[in-house]
Structures are given as C-alpha cells and as structure tokens.
Amino acid sequence: ALETSSQPRTSFQASQLDFTRKLSQELVNRLSVDKALITVISKSFQGQTNMKEKWYGSDYSVERVADSTMMRWRKAAKPRNLGLKFPRPNQFIPSESGLQVKFPPAPVDRLKKRTFEEKIAPLPPPEIV
C-alpha cells in the first residue's frame, strides 16, 4: 500500500516506481480510437452551433466522427510498430537518492492564536541541500 503524507515526497521506493510504470503502461494500452473524445475549439464555428451550455451559456455542437475517418484511424500503424519509446534517462537530472530535502523548523508554540495575516502568509518552500 502506498503511504500518504502531508510532507512532500523525498524519495521513491522501487515498488512504487514499478507500480507507477505498470499503471502508466496499462493506461497506454487502454487508449483506442473508439474511446477517444475529440474537442475542437475555434472562433470559426461561430453561428454553426446548435446547443448552448447550461451554466455559462457557451455555444457548442456535438458530432460523430465519420465512419470512414474512424476506419482510417483504426488501420493506422500502432505506436510500437513506429518505434516510439520512452526517452533515455537524462544524465543531468539528479537521482532521487542524490537529493535531500531540508524542511523549515516547526513553530515552537502551535497553540498560540494567529492573526488572519499570519494564517494566510505562505510557508517557505523546503530547501534542497
């Protein structure tokens, strides 16, 4: 099970990395033409829409993609046949084990009443050592 914390993550376990890779691959495998939702936004469609959005009043249309276009998309080459792969690791990006995070010290008096301004003041980011 993955742990949740209010502190930023400072490292990854090998099992978490494998889990993330597995889920990413599963997501990619589920992508298909039949499950696609295509959105086209353009001012050139003004006056050519037939519906109005409930909350903002935006004009829009919903249309099916032509069957001939869907067939062409289904017959397109698979990414694995095109030689698409994940990029090689970048040697200039430090590894997780090479980073250490230094958190600011916790306030001493947590029970002290804070003013509104103190409550909304941003916390300083952690420093990378």
Side-chain angles (χ1 to χ4, degrees):
L2 297 176
E3 295 180 23
T4 58
S5 171
S6 61
Q7 297 295 325
R9 177 172 287 173
T10 58
S11 65
F12 287 88
Q13 297 173 353
S15 62
Q16 292 172 322
L17 187 59
D18 293 338
F19 179 73
T20 303
R21 282 184 178 150
K22 180 183 172 196
L23 284 180
S24 299
Q25 189 60 49
E26 192 175 311
L27 172 69
V28 170
N29 291 341
R30 289 177 183 239
L31 295 176
S32 73
V33 170
D34 297 308
K35 296 178 185 177
L37 173 66
I38 301 164
T39 304
V40 179
I41 300 172
S42 173
K43 289 184 179 184
S44 65
F45 294 118
Q46 284 181 329
Q48 300 177 28
T49 58
N50 58 5
M51 301 172 98
K52 189 173 280 290
E53 197 271 332
K54 179 180 178 180
W55 304 106
Y56 295 102
S58 302
D59 295 326
Y60 71 100
S61 292
V62 176
E63 299 177 13
R64 292 186 55 83
V65 175
D67 289 335
S68 59
T69 304
M70 291 293 285
M71 286 302 294
R72 285 196 326 240
W73 288 351
R74 284 188 197 108
K75 292 180 182 179
K78 303 288 183 201
R80 63 180 162 266
N81 296 340
L82 296 173
L84 299 178
K85 298 178 184 174
F86 285 108
R88 285 181 267 138
N90 186 337
Q91 63 181 356
F92 300 106
I93 298 176
S95 67
E96 289 292 328
S97 61
L99 296 177
Q100 295 179 349
V101 177
K102 180 180 176 183
F103 296 104
V108 177
D109 187 9
R110 291 181 183 242
L111 300 177
K112 175 187 164 204
K113 292 277 185 183
R114 296 187 305 163
T115 66
F116 177 74
E117 288 78 14
E118 290 173 332
K119 289 179 182 178
I120 64 169
L123 294 174
E127 298 175 18
I128 295 185
V129 184

